[in-house]
Amino acid sequence: MVVPPPPNSAKSSSAAAASTRIPTIDLSSITTNRQALSKLIVEACEKYGFFKLINHGIPQDSVSRVEEEAISFFAMPTAEKLATSSQNAPPINSTTRIGYGIRNIGCSGDMGEIEYLLLSARPSSVSQLALSLSKNPSNFSRVLNGYIQEIKDVACELLDLMAEGLGISDTSIFSRMILDDHNVSLFRINRYRPFPDDIINHPPPNTIGFSEHTDPQIFTILRSNDVGGFHISVNDGSWVPVSPDPTAYFIIIGDLFQVLTNGRFVNVKHRVATNIEPKPRMSMAYFAAPSLNALISPLKEMVTSNQPCLYKPFTWGEYRAHIYSLPLASSKLDFVKIKPN
Ligand SMILES: O=C(O)CCC(=O)C(=O)O
Ligand SMILES: [Fe+2]
């Protein structure tokens, strides 16, 4: 069954009402109603750049095993965690490295009440890093690589459905990007630290875990434990809290998808506030990305006389190098927008 979003009621300030506006896609109807499902997914990506995915087929056991590895990693003393991120870890740019990080969430001084483990989604890279991260590296890499493969399979299924729903003749055009041997997809585990006991009852309002941003990749598949704090920005500019659901995934459209679809899919702004619960929020995000030399431009089917081409062509490598020098909240796509004469 597919649960369509209720009509977009005028600006509602009620968190509960706002939360119900988030479209829910039930992947179990893929065999019985593929076409209708693909249309609903496209509608959600056009309207919100975001949807909740249920009945995705990823076993809860796989998720729990990753969570256990993450919990034991984060339980280590900070000095030990910092020591795992040697200067030899592969840099993504001048300030972000694969491995453990704390508070620093950008290259322009963005800070948050967060610690994280950033991994390349490549199995050989996970296995290599496991040697410094875990006392049982073979178990760590088996658990992480197994889970990342399951997420990647769902990602490919969704990308094909999106291409179908958009009416693109080459329906594997998006999934091939992330299946490319040189794709630079990432997997990140975020832990938002709870407040110390003495201030837990009076936390500073809207303390930021992860400040507002769009994800630069194609899309992100996010899952969290049962602790809230995640918000998305909707078209009218208001922030909508997303109720946590550890059994579901949340799909976040990124900058590249907005370009590939010539603006039909929207790159949704999101953020995490950590001002509510004593338990830490823990989330896991798979960032689906192509290879660095992939040429990104609006697909020809997406460019029409009514919707002229909005973006110049660029490679993912060029875009990634550019945006990592910008503050997290900046409008990164301005860099590639075609300016009207
Ligand atoms: O931790 C979350 O819930 C969201 C994190 C996020 O937006 C990110 O890692 O890009
Ligand atoms: Fe994000």
Side-chain angles (χ1 to χ4, degrees):
M1 192 193 65
V2 174
V3 187
N8 194 358
S9 52
K11 289 187 194 184
S12 161
S13 56
S14 143
S19 204
T20 58
R21 286 195 282 168
I22 290 165
T24 299
I25 299 292
D26 183 343
L27 205 54
S28 66
S29 67
I30 192 163
T31 45
T32 52
N33 215 350
R34 189 173 176 101
Q35 209 184 357
L37 185 65
S38 68
K39 291 277 173 238
L40 278 164
I41 292 175
V42 165
E43 267 170 45
C45 297
E46 289 176 334
K47 198 162 176 186
Y48 298 94
F50 186 78
F51 61 89
K52 175 172 171 172
L53 186 71
I54 58 170
N55 294 321
H56 40 73
I58 297 180
Q60 191 55 38
D61 270 7
S62 308
V63 189
S64 304
R65 282 194 288 265
V66 176
E67 264 191 325
E68 277 163 30
E69 292 293 337
I71 288 167
S72 51
F73 173 78
F74 286 123
M76 293 190 330
T78 304
E80 257 181 67
K81 287 183 280 192
L82 283 169
T84 64
S85 288
S86 78
Q87 287 306 303
N88 300 329
I92 289 194
N93 55 59
S94 56
T95 53
T96 309
R97 283 177 186 274
I98 294 291
Y100 177 71
I102 181 162
R103 294 214 179 88
N104 180 358
I105 45 171
C107 307
S108 304
D110 287 289
M111 303 292 259
E113 281 305 314
I114 183 177
E115 56 179 335
Y116 60 85
L117 196 51
L118 179 63
L119 307 171
S120 152
R122 205 181 294 278
S124 57
S125 165
V126 173
S127 305
Q128 177 65 36
L129 205 65
L131 301 172
S132 61
L133 294 179
S134 170
K135 297 196 170 53
N136 187 346
S138 62
N139 192 57
F140 184 94
S141 38
R142 190 166 34 79
V143 165
L144 270 285
N145 282 329
Y147 179 71
I148 291 170
Q149 184 59 50
E150 285 170 330
I151 291 281
K152 191 171 172 178
D153 291 344
V154 170
C156 289
E157 190 74 89
L158 290 173
L159 290 170
D160 290 353
L161 283 162
M162 288 169 180
E164 288 165 37
L166 285 165
I168 293 167
S169 49
D170 179 359
T171 54
S172 58
I173 192 159
F174 302 130
S175 56
R176 280 202 308 279
M177 290 183 178
I178 69 162
L179 290 170
D180 185 296
D181 283 347
H182 300 288
N183 81 80
V184 287
S185 300
L186 297 170
F187 183 68
R188 173 172 173 139
I189 307 177
N190 295 318
R191 181 178 181 277
Y192 299 89
R193 297 177 312 142
F195 285 96
D197 286 348
D198 51 338
I199 61 164
I200 196 67
N201 293 324
H202 309 284
N206 288 320
T207 301
I208 284 301
F210 209 127
S211 49
E212 84 175 66
H213 65 284
T214 61
D215 290 343
Q217 293 85 357
I218 299 175
F219 69 15
T220 304
I221 303 190
L222 179 75
R223 183 262 172 201
S224 79
N225 63 2
D226 57 357
V227 178
F230 185 78
H231 298 73
I232 60 166
S233 166
V234 291
N235 309 342
D236 64 3
S238 56
W239 286 99
V240 173
V242 177
S243 303
D245 181 348
T247 67
Y249 286 85
F250 293 95
I251 312 305
I252 303 171
I253 296 298
D255 298 347
L256 294 191
F257 230 155
Q258 178 160 321
V259 173
L260 289 165
T261 57
N262 200 27
R264 270 184 69 176
F265 285 8
V266 292
N267 58 348
V268 63
K269 266 195 226 149
H270 53 283
R271 66 177 189 194
V272 183
T274 59
N275 61 352
I276 25 180
E277 300 187 44
K279 183 178 165 185
R281 171 178 171 85
M282 200 156 79
S283 68
M284 307 172 187
Y286 170 79
F287 302 94
S291 67
L292 289 175
N293 62 14
L295 191 64
I296 307 296
S297 63
L299 300 184
K300 63 178 186 326
E301 287 97 333
M302 301 289 104
V303 178
T304 62
S305 51
N306 286 338
Q307 182 61 311
C309 187
L310 295 175
Y311 304 99
K312 309 179 247 201
F314 56 92
T315 66
W316 167 227
E318 285 165 349
Y319 187 69
R320 203 179 75 161
H322 175 74
I323 55 136
Y324 279 122
S325 65
L326 299 174
L328 210 53
S330 52
S331 292
K332 303 185 286 285
L333 281 177
D334 287 351
F335 172 55
V336 292
K337 248 185 209 147
I338 295 176
K339 311 259 177 330
N341 292 324

